[in-house]
Amino acid sequence: MDPLHLRAAGTSVLVAFHSGEVEIVHWGADLGDSLPDLDLLTPPIPHSALDVPVIAGLLPQSSSGWPGRPGLRGSRLALSGTAGGGAHDGAVPGFAFSPALRVVSAEATPGGRGARIVQADPDAGVQVISELTLHSGGLLELSHELANTGTTPYCLDELGTVLPVPGEAVELLDLTGRWCRENHPQRHRVGQGTWVRSGRHGRTGHDSSLLLAAGSAGFSNRAGRVWAVHFAWSGNHEQYLDSLADGRRTLGAAELLGPGEVVLAPGEAYRTPTLYAAFSDRGLDGITEAFYAWFRARPSHVGTTAGRVRPVVLNTWEAVYFDHRLEPLLELAESAAELGVERFVLDDGWFRGRRDDHAGLGDWYVDETVWPEGLTPLIERVTGLGMEFGLWVEPEMVNLDSDVARAHPDWIVRPTAAAAADGGRLPLEWRHQHILDLANPDAWQYTYDRLDALLGENDIAYLKWDQNRDLTEHGHAGRPSVHEQTLAAYRLFDALRAAHPHVEIESCSSGGARVDLGILARTDRVWASDCNDALERQTIQRWTQAVLPPELVGAHVGPTHSHTTGRVHDISFRAITALFGHFGLEWDIRQATPAERETLRRAIALYKRHRGLIHSGVRINADLGEPNLRLHGVVSQSGTEGLFAAVSLGTLMAEAPGRVAVPGLDPERTYRVRAALPTPEDADWADSFTQTAPPRWIAAGATASGRFLAEVGLPLPILRPEHALLIEAKVTEQSVSD
Ligand code: GLA
C-alpha cells in the first residue's frame, strides 16, 4: 500500500504500511511534495532483541514486538465462564489477550486531509477502524472504533490513541491544579519511563492536563519545536508520555475503564474519545494557533468569527449567593444595565428547597416560596432593560433532601446492584450531594423534561450548567459506569440543544473541572475557575487559553476583596484580566464606589470596542526574562491592530522593567501605541505605578514599526505588584495605505 501523506499549515502526517501493519512514521514539520523511498526508514536490529524491526503501530501492539504501553488491551477471559473458578485448565473460546491486527484497507478521505484505516484480527475477533484528520489550521484529530467480531463477549480494558514524538522532544509540559487553581503548568525533563496523568474523578477534573506537550530543550511561548495533545473526554482518563529504552517516544491518551465497564456483545463497538494534536516549530503559541483555528472554523462556534458577539455578563453568585429576593435582584439588574451589561445570569438558589447547598438538587421547579410569581418578574425586568436572561442548573446531581430523591431512591448512583431498601450503600457525599443515575432511562427522561419545560416556559437565553462533584464509586447495576454516565450526560446536552438551539450553555464544574473538547462539542463557554482573584486568573487563563480561545473562557471582574483568596486588587487590574476572555462581572456592583463604577464603565466600553479583536485574533505570549512580569495580548488576523496587557504578578528583580518586547505585530507596518487602562482619569492610576515619572509614550502615545516593537520593545512603566497596564496598538493611516 502507498503511504498516506496529510499536509496542512506547516504540519505533515505520514502514514506508512509495512508487512501488513500501519505506522505513523512522521507527525511534525511539513515534508514538502516529494517523499523518499521509505525503505530508508528500516532501523538496525540490535543484539538481544527481536529478529525483526519493531513497528510503533497506529495501535502499538505486543504482537509486533512493541515493548511499551499497548494501544489495545482486552480479553474474553474474565467472561468465559470456564469451569474451575479461575483455574487455567481449559481453552477459552476466542481468547484474545494479544491481538495481531493487520491492515484490511486504508483510504484517504476526500480532499486528502484525512485517512480511514481498517485493521482486523479475525482469530481474536476484533476489528479497529481508525480515523485521522488533519485540519486546515494544522490540528490533527485521531480516534479509533473497535468492534467485537467474535462470537462471545469481549471485555475491553483500554483502547488508546497514540502518536509518535521524536527524540528531540526532551522536555515535557503538562497542566495540573485543584479547585480555584486550575491549569497551572509543570515541567520536567523526559527520562526513560512513562509519565502518566490519571483522572479518576468521573469528570475531567480540576487537575486534568488540558495540554500535554513535549518539546525541544527550553521550548518557550514563542520558540522551539513542540508536539502537544489534548484528550476530548469528560470522564475517567489517562494521558501519558511513554519513553522507551529503545529511544522511542509516544504521546497518548485513553479512557480509563473500570473492571467490566465496557463489555462488547458480538457485533457491538466502542469508540474512543478523540485525541487532538498539534505540532509547532515556533513554541507554544503555534500550538495555540492550531487549536484556535480549529475552534473558530466549527459551525457551532460562538464568537466574532461566527458573527455571534459575546455579551457582557453579570453573574449573581458572588453578588448575592443563595440570598434570592426579588427587590435586591431587580436593583442589581438595573445597576448592571446602567453600566452596559448585556446578559444577567441568576445563579444557584432559585429552585424548590434550595436555600443553601444542603437541599433541592433534582427538584427543577421554581421555588414558590421565594418566587411566588415565578421567575417572570425578574426575567421581564432584565429583558426590558435590554439584557438577556441566564439561569444556573446542575442537572446531573441530586440532594437526598429533595422530592425527587424521596420519590425515586433507585435513581441515585450506588456502587452495588442492591437497591437502597436492600442495603445498597451510597458513595460518600460531596457538597451534600449525590449523582443521578443518567444511565437509568427514567431518571434521564425526568431531567430532560424538567429542563425542557423550564426553557419552554421562560425566556432563557443561557444556561450555566454546573457539575459539582467527583463521580466516586460510580456504578450502574453493580458495574462501573462513568463511561455510560458521561455518554448519557452528553446525550442530555445534545437533546436539549437540539430542542432549544438558541440557548447558549456554559460548562461549569466547581469552576474548571469539566473543561475539555468533549464537553465543548456541546457547550459554548467554560467557567475556567471559581477563583475570581485577578492574580490567580492571570495564570489560570493563560494556560486555559493555550487550548481554548478567549471567547470560550468566562472571565469576571470579582469583588474588590476576593472571596476565595482574601486578596484586594485595584479595579483596573481586575478589569484588564477579565478583558482577555468572555468578559463579565460577578460582584454586588451596588456596593462599588463611584470611582470604581466609572472605571468599570470604561472597561466595559473597552471590551465592547475590542471584543471583535480579542475573540478572533492571534494570541500572543511574549517570552520575558522577569519571572514576575508578563506581556500577553492579541493581534488581529490582518495585523492592523493589537491589544496587549503588561502584568506584574509580583515584585520585579530589576528596578524597572526596561524595554519589553511586544511581539506578534507586522514587522513591516507602523503602529501607534497608547496606554488604554488605567489612565489618569481612573481612580487607581496613581496606585498602579511606583515611579517619579512614567515613560514618555504613556502620556501621548508613540509610533513605531512592528519590527521595532518586537526587537527593541517598549519601555514599560514601573508597575506595582499585582497591577496591569492595557496597551493598544493600531496601524497608522500611512502604514495602511502603504
Ligand atoms: C459551583 C460553581 C459556582 C457557583 C456555585 C453555585 O461552585 O462553580 O460558580 O455556581 O456552584 O452553587
Side-chain angles (χ1 to χ4, degrees):
M1 272 177 205
D2 290 337
L4 296 169
H5 185 192
L6 316 178
R7 293 174 68 196
T11 296
S12 271
V13 178
L14 184 60
V15 183
F17 303 89
H18 0 217
S19 320
E21 296 199 59
V22 52
E23 178 183 18
I24 297 180
V25 296
H26 173 80
W27 160 49
D30 186 18
L31 297 176
D33 288 328
S34 91
L35 291 179
D37 176 354
L38 292 181
D39 275 353
L40 126 148
L41 295 175
T42 313
I45 294 178
H47 289 297
S48 184
L50 289 165
D51 297 333
V52 291
V54 171
I55 287 169
L58 181 56
L59 269 179
Q61 50 188 347
S62 181
S63 55
S64 323
W66 184 250
R69 183 167 172 149
L72 167 60
R73 284 189 299 115
S75 76
R76 299 173 197 278
L77 185 59
L79 302 149
S80 65
T82 44
H88 294 262
D89 53 1
V92 180
F95 180 42
F97 77 91
S98 174
L101 292 163
R102 291 290 176 269
V103 177
V104 176
S105 66
E107 62 200 33
T109 48
R113 286 264 165 76
R116 184 176 187 273
I117 297 157
V118 182
Q119 301 180 79
D121 178 349
D123 295 335
V126 288
Q127 175 192 272
V128 178
I129 301 175
S130 304
E131 286 180 349
L132 286 111
T133 308
L134 184 62
H135 294 279
S136 56
L139 195 71
L140 175 67
E141 197 175 327
L142 170 66
S143 63
H144 307 295
E145 186 175 281
L146 177 138
N148 178 9
T149 55
T151 54
T152 56
Y154 183 80
C155 182
L156 181 67
D157 295 332
E158 180 170 310
L159 185 60
T161 42
V162 188
L163 290 168
V165 288
E168 179 191 347
V170 292
E171 279 182 32
L172 188 66
L173 178 147
D174 59 356
L175 306 177
T176 188
R178 60 166 169 83
W179 178 71
C180 275
R181 197 178 194 271
E182 295 85 342
N183 286 329
H184 275 57
Q186 52 182 9
R187 266 183 102 127
H188 55 251
R189 263 196 96 71
V190 174
Q192 280 186 4
T194 308
W195 176 254
V196 186
R197 295 295 312 282
S198 304
R200 290 189 168 82
H201 302 285
R203 52 179 170 172
T204 322
H206 289 107
D207 60 347
S208 171
S209 194
L210 189 65
L211 193 71
L212 184 64
S216 53
F219 73 86
S220 65
N221 289 330
R222 300 188 62 82
R225 282 151 61 93
V226 187
W227 292 259
V229 295
H230 167 87
F231 196 49
W233 183 241
S234 315
N236 292 337
H237 62 277
E238 282 192 335
Q239 301 182 83
Y240 50 90
L241 178 125
D242 208 6
S243 168
L244 305 185
D246 71 5
R248 282 188 276 192
R249 277 159 204 182
T250 56
L251 277 178
E255 188 179 359
L256 189 56
L257 298 171
E261 184 160 10
V262 171
V263 178
L264 300 173
E268 278 185 350
Y270 163 89
R271 192 179 176 85
T272 63
T274 301
L275 186 77
Y276 289 90
F279 162 75
S280 161
D281 60 3
R282 51 204 166 87
L284 289 159
D285 278 359
I287 299 287
T288 298
E289 229 174 294
F291 275 97
Y292 284 21
W294 174 83
F295 270 110
R296 288 172 174 164
R298 301 178 311 160
S300 63
H301 192 68
V302 288
T304 307
T305 42
R308 292 172 69 185
V309 161
R310 311 302 278 138
V312 177
V313 173
L314 182 128
N315 178 287
T316 62
W317 182 239
E318 290 200 358
V320 301
Y321 291 102
F322 288 107
D323 185 11
H324 283 201
R325 283 174 293 133
L326 183 59
E327 276 310 317
L329 284 165
L330 292 177
E331 281 172 27
L332 195 58
E334 269 153 24
S335 178
E338 198 272 326
L339 281 179
V341 169
E342 299 161 310
R343 176 181 283 166
F344 185 90
V345 181
L346 183 67
D347 211 283
D348 195 357
W350 58 269
F351 46 97
R352 276 189 196 158
R354 190 66 167 177
R355 302 285 62 79
D356 56 36
D357 62 9
H358 286 74
L361 288 174
D363 292 348
W364 303 111
Y365 296 85
V366 179
D367 192 314
E368 298 82 350
T369 62
V370 180
W371 302 93
E373 294 170 65
L375 296 173
T376 308
L378 179 62
I379 294 179
E380 281 185 351
R381 182 72 62 88
V382 164
T383 52
L385 288 163
M387 297 184 287
E388 293 178 350
F389 181 78
L391 191 66
W392 182 95
V393 290
E394 194 179 357
E396 296 145 84
M397 296 292 155
V398 63
N399 286 119
L400 293 186
D401 187 358
S402 67
D403 292 341
V404 74
R406 281 182 283 272
H408 302 283
D410 53 316
W411 288 2
I412 305 172
V413 163
R414 290 165 207 278
T416 68
D422 304 326
R425 72 184 167 85
L426 290 166
L428 294 170
E429 283 199 344
W430 178 306
R431 207 193 185 202
H432 322 291
Q433 65 195 57
H434 286 274
I435 305 140
L436 200 66
D437 183 5
L438 293 178
N440 177 323
D442 295 337
W444 189 98
Q445 194 60 48
Y446 161 80
T447 310
Y448 174 86
D449 290 345
R450 284 314 316 142
L451 293 176
D452 181 51
L454 274 168
L455 293 174
E457 289 159 11
N458 298 284
D459 185 2
I460 294 171
Y462 174 84
L463 283 182
K464 176 179 176 182
W465 185 313
D466 217 332
Q467 197 284 34
N468 278 323
R469 67 159 291 169
D470 279 7
L471 275 53
T472 50
E473 290 194 297
H474 189 97
H476 174 81
R479 289 223 305 241
S481 76
V482 169
H483 173 75
E484 186 49 38
Q485 178 82 5
T486 308
L487 293 178
Y490 282 176
R491 284 198 301 277
L492 195 56
F493 280 94
D494 294 345
L496 284 161
R497 273 171 89 81
H500 304 275
H502 301 300
V503 176
E504 286 185 13
I505 304 181
E506 172 178 57
S507 170
C508 175
S509 184
S510 326
R514 190 153 68 180
V515 176
D516 63 78
L517 272 57
I519 202 72
L520 273 163
R522 45 209 30 106
T523 51
D524 302 293
R525 78 168 213 170
V526 300
W527 185 226
S529 179
D530 275 353
C531 188
N532 286 319
D533 173 326
L535 181 65
E536 300 294 328
R537 276 283 180 151
Q538 279 293 331
T539 301
I540 293 168
Q541 289 173 203
R542 187 268 172 265
W543 291 102
T544 304
Q545 293 181 6
V547 174
L548 272 53
E551 60 270 29
L552 299 184
V553 181
H556 296 170
V557 177
T560 310
H561 195 126
S562 165
H563 290 187
T564 52
T565 65
R567 286 197 191 100
V568 173
H569 287 128
D570 279 339
I571 182 74
S572 63
F573 181 47
R574 282 141 63 210
I576 292 169
T577 303
L579 269 180
F580 288 88
H582 178 190
F583 183 87
L585 315 176
E586 190 167 334
W587 173 22
D588 187 352
I589 45 171
R590 295 172 306 163
Q591 313 296 329
T593 65
E596 283 174 326
R597 237 180 127 74
E598 275 325 296
T599 300
L600 212 43
R601 192 189 306 283
R602 286 187 1 85
I604 289 173
L606 274 170
Y607 170 73
K608 288 183 178 173
R609 186 156 87 237
H610 288 300
R611 62 184 154 191
L613 164 65
I614 299 167
H615 296 164
S616 67
V618 180
R619 201 79 171 97
I620 308 290
N621 294 283
D623 287 318
L624 304 183
E626 270 283 355
N628 279 338
L629 187 65
R630 219 171 257 179
L631 186 127
H632 68 87
V634 57
V635 173
S636 63
Q637 301 284 347
S638 62
T640 54
E641 53 180 338
L643 186 71
F644 299 91
V647 183
S648 93
L649 302 175
T651 53
L652 304 189
M653 291 190 300
E655 282 168 359
R659 296 185 189 118
V660 170
V662 181
L665 294 164
D666 184 341
E668 306 303 331
R669 289 164 127 171
T670 305
Y671 296 85
R672 186 88 196 147
V673 286
R674 56 179 287 272
L677 191 72
T679 66
E681 296 156 38
D682 293 301
D684 54 4
W685 161 254
D687 280 343
S688 295
F689 310 103
T690 165
Q691 56 200 4
T692 49
R696 278 198 214 147
W697 70 271
I698 291 283
T703 302
S705 70
R707 187 182 310 283
F708 187 91
L709 290 167
E711 300 300 332
V712 180
L714 265 183
L716 287 187
I718 306 172
L719 282 164
R720 283 200 162 142
E722 300 171 28
H723 283 82
L725 176 71
L726 188 73
I727 304 164
E728 292 172 341
K730 201 161 179 54
V731 154
T732 59
E733 297 296 331
Q734 190 188 2
S735 173
V736 171
S737 57
D738 279 350

